[in-house]
Amino acid sequence: MNLVFFGPPGSGKGTQAERLKTKFKLRHISTGDLLREAVARGTELGKRVESVLAEGRLVSDDIVLALMRDAISAVKGDSALRGWLLDGFPRTIGQAEGLDGILGELDQAIDAVVVLDVDRGTVVDRLSGRRTCTKCKAVFHVEANPPRTEGVCDRCGGELIQREDDRPETIRKRLDVYEAQTKPVLDFYRGRVTMHTVDGGKDVDEVTQAIERVLT
Ligand code: AP5
């Protein structure tokens, strides 16, 4: 099964992908995680994209498509997996068209796009309170999903930090970019791919159950 999780920043794509990847035996591929990893490792790519991420703009389509071509191709060789789950990609019409080309070459297709529907006020609250583990990338929220010990990851004991792009002015910029460049991707898929819209404003467990219901 090959899935795309779609929704604005802070809609819960990463949280739900982490919960559902094991049940459905999918590789969770997050473009944001891949790009942040490149920045953290100080690679050539990381140096090129660091300021773009910090300012909440989009990395160019050619860079992102090259990353995704490698990541999706790698899933094919892993017999323990039944497919992939894309989180944060595609984010422009150009990326959606590029993904079509990659999938055509690999003889694969998207089985469903799951849209997490959340209003702007809710995502601002969520992103302002998000804390991310520097080691294992687990995601918490200071109120909705707090760690047992403040600042310490429940899963691996790593340090929890606030992402640089989760500052108020950058959150606003990311939401504007979503409205202008990413939301139109929904029209690209409408009528061509199965789409399920889920109320992403409910609590984490309820959203997980709603996604499971539409996918099984
Ligand atoms: P990326 O990392 O993809 O960020 P995003 O899309 O902005 O999404 P987020 O990770 O912020 O949110 P999410 O929906 O995963 O929510 P989460 O589960 O964490 O991209 C970052 C940057 O990389 C971009 O700005 C861009 O520069 C670049 N980039 C990435 N992909 C790109 C692409 N394709 N093209 C070009 N550039 C690209 O949840 C958020 C918080 O809410 C957490 O604290 C969580 O605990 C909490 N929460 C989650 N669900 C609930 C719930 N149901 N109730 C209450 N709290 C909840």
Side-chain angles (χ1 to χ4, degrees):
M1 179 160 57
N2 297 324
L3 302 174
V4 172
F5 277 11
F6 195 95
S11 53
K13 303 181 294 294
T15 300
Q16 296 300 332
E18 278 302 303
R19 289 175 147 228
L20 291 162
K21 68 175 187 186
T22 312
K23 177 179 170 107
F24 292 107
K25 294 196 173 68
L26 305 177
R27 167 86 41 87
H28 172 200
I29 304 174
S30 155
T31 34
D33 285 348
L34 292 174
L35 293 165
R36 277 186 293 279
E37 202 178 298
V39 172
R41 292 196 354 244
T43 63
E44 269 315 304
L45 168 67
K47 285 177 196 148
R48 280 170 69 192
V49 302
E50 186 167 12
S51 63
V52 178
L53 263 69
E55 290 164 21
R57 293 181 287 122
L58 291 185
V59 172
S60 68
D61 288 353
D62 55 332
I63 290 182
V64 174
L65 281 164
L67 274 178
M68 294 311 275
R69 180 186 297 276
D70 289 350
I72 292 173
S73 304
V75 176
K76 219 174 176 180
D78 191 334
S79 58
L81 295 170
R82 288 175 49 216
W84 35 258
L85 193 175
L86 306 186
D87 158 11
F89 173 89
R91 243 169 157 109
T92 64
I93 299 285
Q95 291 180 17
E97 290 170 344
L99 177 60
D100 269 2
I102 294 169
L103 297 183
E105 287 164 27
L106 296 172
D107 197 21
Q108 295 186 6
I110 298 169
D111 293 300
V113 174
V114 176
V115 183
L116 295 177
D117 186 25
V118 185
D119 64 65
R120 195 171 167 116
T122 303
V123 296
V124 171
D125 288 346
R126 286 186 186 174
L127 294 176
S128 315
R130 171 165 58 186
R131 298 294 180 269
T132 308
C133 177
T134 49
K135 260 165 89 188
C136 75
K137 310 298 168 218
V139 171
F140 298 85
H141 188 275
V142 288
E143 283 162 10
N145 177 27
R148 283 189 294 271
T149 308
E150 198 185 326
V152 180
C153 177
D154 288 354
R155 206 201 278 174
C156 75
E159 182 196 4
L160 299 182
I161 56 153
Q162 182 164 37
R163 257 168 57 176
E164 197 179 346
D165 59 349
D166 282 346
R167 288 168 298 154
E169 66 279 14
T170 318
I171 292 173
R172 277 196 294 276
K173 168 78 183 165
R174 287 162 61 204
L175 289 171
D176 291 344
V177 167
Y178 173 79
E179 288 294 327
Q181 297 188 59
T182 304
K183 227 173 164 185
V185 173
L186 285 178
D187 294 328
F188 178 88
Y189 285 126
R190 204 160 275 130
R192 301 177 60 216
V193 174
T194 302
M195 290 174 83
H196 303 288
T197 299
V198 165
D199 182 354
K202 302 252 198 266
D203 79 33
V204 178
D205 288 338
E206 285 179 280
V207 179
T208 307
Q209 286 157 14
I211 298 173
E212 284 174 338
R213 270 198 302 277
V214 298
L215 292 178
T216 47

